[in-house]
Amino acid sequence: MKLAEWAHELAESLLADRFPDRWAHSQRVYSQALVLAPALGEDAELLAAAAIAHDVGYAREAMDTGQHMIDGAQYLRDVMGAEPRLCSIVAFHTSSPWEAAELGLSEKLDEFGPAEQELVDAITYCDLTSSPIGRLVDPTQRLIEVLDRYGPEHVVFRAVSAARPELLNRVERVQQRQAMALQQRFN
Ligand SMILES: [Fe+2]
């Protein structure tokens, strides 16, 4: 079975029934990953697999540290035997390093390093262009929505506030890479 297909079945079994909104979100993140295929070349399949599985750390089966990016990566590595690069993308997606720092989990996160910048940029782009219920959304609006949802006392609020400039830089880098890839394709 191909990697993305395998990850799709796994994520569906962990999220679809118990977390329908998160599953709808994950499916949108997956379809955004497919859109980025021209910019990713050989890593397109890997990104698609990471995209559909990026939030499996919210599933009860995966919960451990309480940081869903680490819990998801750990579950994929230790229970499912997934390949290190897939686990790494899940571990480092979006605001993970900032959240890990807030929670004293940076060392644990580093088990999944080093992060591959292009792939982390790409998964972050996919995550931030997908709303919590799976609609396409502007990344700036998405970050405002996250901050509103958690409120200033929450660790996610502090992490996302600190991460925001770099997260938006990632989105911009991905848009540039995608534009270049599409230009090359049609030249
Ligand atoms: Fe997500």
Side-chain angles (χ1 to χ4, degrees), residues 22 25-26 29 51 54-55 58 68 93-94 127-128 130 142:
R22 213 164 279 290
H25 164 74
S26 300
V29 175
H54 79 290
D55 274 348
Y58 284 110
H68 80 275
H93 82 261
T94 317
D127 199 14
L128 293 183
S130 306
R142 168 89 156 101

Side-chain angles (χ1 to χ4, degrees), residues 28 32 124-131 135-137 139 142:
R28 174 64 73 180
Q32 287 295 80
T124 300
Y125 171 88
C126 298
D127 199 14
L128 293 183
T129 52
S130 306
S131 85
R135 300 216 172 101
L136 272 180
V137 67
R142 168 89 156 101

Side-chain angles (χ1 to χ4, degrees), residues 78-96:
D78 297 345
V79 179
M80 302 310 301
E83 62 174 88
R85 294 180 76 211
L86 173 61
C87 301
S88 182
I89 301 169
V90 171
F92 285 95
H93 82 261
T94 317
S95 56
S96 181

Side-chain angles (χ1 to χ4, degrees), residues 113-174:
E116 294 184 67
Q117 192 64 56
E118 276 196 34
L119 292 167
V120 171
D121 286 356
I123 189 84
T124 300
Y125 171 88
C126 298
D127 199 14
L128 293 183
T129 52
S130 306
S131 85
I133 54 165
R135 300 216 172 101
L136 272 180
V137 67
D138 173 75
T140 308
Q141 291 306 314
R142 168 89 156 101
L143 290 172
I144 290 170
E145 178 278 319
V146 172
L147 295 176
D148 275 355
R149 178 153 40 108
Y150 287 96
E153 302 305 315
H154 199 282
V155 59
V156 171
F157 182 99
R158 292 197 296 273
V160 169
S161 299
R164 177 150 60 173
E166 169 57 13
L167 299 181
L168 293 173
N169 284 341
R170 289 180 186 175
V171 168
E172 211 177 297
R173 286 197 291 268
V174 170

Side-chain angles (χ1 to χ4, degrees), residues 4 36 56 58 63 65 75-77 100-101 121 126 133 152 161 173:
L36 293 185
V56 296
Y58 284 110
M63 253 180 218
T65 68
Y75 181 82
L76 288 165
R77 180 190 64 188
D121 286 356
C126 298
I133 54 165
S161 299
R173 286 197 291 268

